[in-house]
Amino acid sequence: MELKQQQPAMNVDEQIENLKRLGLVINDEEYAKRILGDISYFRLIKAYGLGLKKKNDCFDGITTFEQIVELYLFNANFRQLLFSRIEQIEVNLRCRLANYFSCKYGVLGYDTPSNFVNPDYHNEFLLDIQNEIDRNSRAPFVKNFHNNYVDGRIPFYALVELFSFGTLSKFYKNMKPADKKEIAKSYGVGYTYLESWMEHIAFVRNICAHYGRLYNVNLVKTPMLYKQYNQAGISNIRVFATILCMKHLLPDDEHWAEFVDTIVKYLEKYPHVDIRLMGFPDNWKEYL
């Protein structure tokens, strides 16, 4: 396969002329200039123009610049909405995992390889966590345990606050099956599902944190779904699967209905959004 040459950079005026040559309708060039001065051509057009034209082809002469901006704005709002619920799940998981593990194995039990399935995996975890401790060495609670407790070691109920969601997921993955079951039982799910969902949601959380795209994208890290979802044809590579997992981890959330209502409002506000490109079935509200 012949490799492509890098394309030369274009200033904003050249970007607009290029879009017009590609058949994108630009009704207000001053507006387009302002947008392309704030949001890069690559982030906006290359990402949200997907599906609006064929690969290496032109737009249809009907699609407008404003439609692409609309998809971008929807994604930004939707991403922030998801992020707030993921934060709630993450804080809750930290709490349940820390309470259970500290009570069963002691507040320093995370240091003991026999408390876990894979000693090598555990050793990697200790190295990762030491890096986090060093990085947060000026945090008041880290300094407190270093200066005022034997060996300066940090108890697990405090240490878990330094975990990223990814580290939390890896820690759970290396716990003994019986321990995983106890944590999962508090959510009313099987531990294989919880393990999969934690890993997946941690992946989506990082997309949210880095202002990534959830609209019209296949998610690389996919979750296990219940059989009824698979039988209904719900794909696990799109973000609707993420929302289903989140729902099971927020079973008593009094704000869940508000969350669903907000999704509805965003879909009404941004009418060019195609929910199928996020894996939403036509009757999606029945599942939530």
Side-chain angles (χ1 to χ4, degrees), residues 34 37 54 68 70 96 110 117 170 180 194 249 251 253 269:
R34 289 199 304 274
K54 294 180 180 178
I68 294 179
E70 181 182 311
R96 296 190 189 193
Y110 63 88
V117 172
K170 291 176 183 177
K180 290 182 189 177
L194 180 57
L249 297 180
D253 180 29
K269 183 176 180 180

Side-chain angles (χ1 to χ4, degrees), residues 51-63:
L52 298 178
K53 71 181 183 71
K54 294 180 180 178
K55 188 176 181 181
N56 299 324
D57 201 356
C58 293
F59 292 98
D60 56 13
I62 300 173
T63 301

Side-chain angles (χ1 to χ4, degrees), residues 87-105:
E87 177 186 3
Q88 185 180 348
I89 290 169
E90 183 178 351
V91 169
N92 186 275
L93 280 165
R94 286 176 194 267
C95 175
R96 296 190 189 193
L97 201 152
N99 287 347
Y100 173 84
F101 191 88
S102 298
C103 288
K104 181 166 183 179
Y105 295 105

Side-chain angles (χ1 to χ4, degrees), residues 15-17 19-20 24-30 32-33 36 63-66:
Q15 291 170 16
I16 289 174
E17 289 305 312
L19 291 173
K20 287 160 70 176
L24 185 67
V25 176
I26 300 180
N27 294 309
D28 185 340
E29 290 194 18
E30 290 304 315
K33 285 180 183 180
L36 290 170
T63 301
T64 67
F65 181 81
E66 288 78 9

